[in-house]
Structure formats: C-alpha cells, structure tokens
Amino acid sequence: MKALQEKIRKDGIVLSDEVLKVDAFLNHQVDPVLMKQIGETFAGLFKQDGVTKILTLESSGISPALMTALELNVPMVFARKRKPFTQDADVYEASVHSFTKQTNHIISVSRAFLNQADRVLIIDDFLANGQAAEGLIDIIDQAGAELCGIGIVIEKAFQPGGKRLRGRGIRVESLASIRSLENGTVSFQEEVHAK
C-alpha cells in the first residue's frame, strides 16, 4: 500500500533499530482517510474467505479493524487488556507480552461474542515478535472458531513473528513490510503475501 508507506516515511519516527513510532496517524492520533483505505484493502484481500468476525486487541488495532469490519459488513470484537467490572467471568483469556511496553497482559474476550460458528479475521496495527497474534489465535482456538487469516498494517519483517506465523501455515497479509529501521531510516521490502 503506497499511501501507507508514504505516510510512514513522512510521519513515522524511528526511535531505534527496533521501534517505529506512528502515533501521528495510527495509534494515538488516527488518520481516518488512511484507515478507510486500509479497511478497503484488507476487505479486498479477505472478501472470499467467509469472514463472520474481525478480532483485534485494544487499543491500536481498533481503528483498522473497525474499518475492515465496516467494509466486510461484519462485527468487530476487541480483546480487552484490562477486565472491566461490568464484564462477567465467562470469558476466553490468553497471556500476551507487549514488545514496546515490555509488559505482560492477560487479554480477554467475552464468550458471548465469539463461538465455533465464527470465521475470524485478525487485524492488528503491528507485527513484530507475534505475541499479540498468538494470544488472539489462542482465544479463537478456545472458542472453537476458525481462523481465516491475519491482516497487519505494519510488519517489522526483521523480527521473527511473521516468519513464525507463516511457518505454521497461517495466511498473513501485511500492508507495509519493513526490512530495516537501521540508521534511523525506514527501509521497506516488497509486500508480503503468503497464501
């Protein structure tokens, strides 16, 4: 997605050889026009897969996931990192390690919103080491639902998450795949599409 790559080059800030800050348009301030394009792109990639639910992780995955759900005309569910007192105890839970925050979270999804009849598409903002995706896959497995694939806005291809997920036979579609953040510069590789 050229518009996304241009936005990353223009507004992304390389904080280190491993960390790219995109809070100007994706995970703090949100560019709604870009999110609409992202949703349309993911919907186009997965429109033949019979998706019945979009699953993401709060909070940065919500914008691209919601736009994808809108395009596919299906509900979007997000896994919570903190369980609110209004949520009952009937939840699926998984442990997820956050690379950027260096913390562990127990994420949860109400059993009322995900079940064995669902065909689930995971949408998330970043793929680095793959822990968020693994946690969401665990929740899908607990529900007895079927994973259709994973849509990632930005993949850091120099980290092992994408390779590990694809090695398991999981379809991962990344809209921007970063080869390197070395020397403060974003270098992209070709779009990664594994069927």
Side-chain angles (χ1 to χ4, degrees):
M1 232 186 105
K2 293 298 177 196
L4 176 59
Q5 289 185 2
E6 288 168 15
K7 195 73 165 175
I8 291 168
R9 286 192 198 284
K10 179 177 175 274
D11 294 332
I13 299 169
V14 178
L15 296 180
S16 73
D17 288 353
E18 294 186 338
V19 180
L20 173 66
K21 185 175 177 180
V22 291
D23 65 349
F25 62 91
L26 179 59
N27 56 22
H28 192 46
Q29 175 172 268
V30 176
D31 180 333
V33 174
L34 181 62
M35 288 309 112
K36 185 175 187 308
Q37 293 170 337
I38 285 169
E40 290 167 351
T41 303
F42 282 138
L45 290 168
F46 290 97
K47 67 182 173 190
Q48 303 301 323
D49 293 275
V51 173
T52 64
K53 294 270 172 74
I54 304 293
L55 180 63
T56 193
L57 184 59
E58 72 173 345
S59 63
S60 299
I62 291 175
S63 296
L66 182 60
M67 291 301 192
T68 305
L70 181 65
E71 289 297 318
L72 290 174
N73 194 29
V74 299
M76 184 269 299
V77 178
F78 63 88
R80 294 181 178 272
K81 292 180 184 172
R82 288 174 203 86
K83 192 173 168 186
F85 75 91
T86 57
Q87 188 175 33
D88 62 29
D90 200 14
V91 296
Y92 306 111
E93 291 183 333
S95 180
V96 171
H97 179 77
S98 169
F99 173 78
T100 52
K101 295 183 178 114
Q102 291 299 306
T103 58
N104 290 316
H105 299 282
I106 299 297
I107 62 170
S108 64
V109 171
S110 172
R111 291 176 184 263
F113 302 131
L114 202 59
N115 62 58
Q116 62 188 17
D118 285 313
R119 293 179 51 79
V120 184
L121 171 60
I122 293 172
I123 299 290
D124 208 1
D125 61 338
F126 269 96
L127 175 59
N129 291 314
Q131 283 96 348
E134 296 281 357
L136 293 171
I137 291 167
D138 184 4
I139 284 175
I140 291 168
D141 290 344
Q142 290 176 51
E146 184 175 349
L147 174 65
C148 293
I150 301 173
I152 298 295
V153 178
I154 302 170
E155 178 178 351
K156 292 192 277 184
F158 56 88
Q159 291 180 297
K163 183 176 183 182
R164 190 171 58 248
L165 291 167
R166 290 180 182 97
R168 290 177 51 189
I170 297 170
R171 178 182 177 192
V172 179
E173 298 284 359
S174 300
L175 302 186
S177 186
I178 296 174
R179 182 176 64 244
S180 169
L181 294 173
E182 291 175 6
N183 303 316
T185 303
V186 178
S187 300
F188 294 100
Q189 61 183 28
E190 293 300 313
E191 288 183 46
V192 177
H193 297 289
K195 302 290 189 247

